[in-house]
């Protein structure tokens, strides 16, 4: 099975940006506990504060689709749907991930013991 990533582009209604962010965070806190949900991000366009991307990674397409058809999804995202003007979703298979320098665990070198002669 292949990890899948969904990218959902949403434009909020005018003046709903802060409430949208708050409601998304509340829903995401519950979604993160679901089987198969690996990661979620909410990002806002640097030039258009009403435009957002919701990016989420799921263990496989089957679990993503099961969530997408669930009553729980409908309940969690009901308010978000009311706050948006438009939405477009795309789903991708994650083929490769290259961690950034900050993502790699730091290795610590053993400390050299100082002797009396140092």
């Amino acid at each position: 099975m292949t990890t899948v990533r969904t990218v959902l582009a949403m434009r909020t209604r005018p003046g709903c940006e802060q409430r949208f962010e708050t409601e998304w965070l509340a829903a995401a806190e519950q979604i993160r506990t679901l089987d198969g949900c690996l990661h979620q991000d909410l990002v806002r366009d640097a030039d258009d504060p009403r435009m957002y991307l919701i990016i989420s990674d799921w263990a496989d397409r089957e679990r993503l689709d099961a969530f997408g058809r669930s009553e729980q999804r409908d309940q969690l995202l009901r308010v978000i749907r009311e706050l948006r003007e438009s939405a477009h979703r795309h789903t991708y298979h994650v083929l490769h991930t290259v961690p950034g320098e900050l993502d790699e665990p730091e290795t610590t070198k053993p400390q050299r013991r100082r002797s009396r002669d140092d």
Side-chain angles (χ1 to χ4, degrees):
M1 288 188 231
T2 304
T3 301
V4 293
R5 177 167 295 152
T6 63
V7 179
L8 178 58
M10 286 192 179
R11 184 169 180 79
T12 63
R13 296 183 187 282
C16 293
E17 299 86 356
Q18 186 57 52
R19 183 159 180 228
F20 176 84
E21 292 175 28
T22 301
E23 293 293 338
W24 177 86
L25 188 56
E29 285 295 327
Q30 293 182 50
I31 294 168
R32 75 183 188 101
T33 66
L34 299 177
D35 181 41
C37 181
L38 303 176
H39 182 88
Q40 301 174 84
D41 287 314
L42 177 66
V43 298
R44 183 175 55 216
D45 189 302
D47 298 318
D48 182 353
R50 290 178 47 214
M51 193 68 207
Y52 292 87
L53 294 179
I54 297 171
I55 304 162
S56 61
D57 290 352
W58 289 77
D60 53 58
R61 183 71 185 254
E62 291 77 21
R63 288 184 265 192
L64 168 64
D65 289 346
F67 171 66
R69 293 185 303 268
S70 71
E71 186 177 314
Q72 184 178 21
R73 176 189 170 271
D74 289 340
Q75 291 173 352
L76 288 170
L77 302 178
R78 180 183 51 81
V79 174
I80 289 173
R81 282 192 296 275
E82 294 170 6
L83 299 171
R84 73 182 187 203
E85 193 172 87
S86 64
H88 305 283
R89 185 183 106 174
H90 298 278
T91 302
Y92 304 91
H93 291 280
V94 178
L95 301 179
H96 305 284
T97 300
V98 178
E101 187 175 321
L102 297 177
D103 293 334
E104 295 178 19
E106 287 188 33
T107 57
T108 56
K109 295 179 183 176
Q111 294 291 324
R112 182 175 154 245
R113 291 185 121 174
R114 299 187 100 192
S115 69
R116 289 182 156 193
D117 297 332
D118 285 350

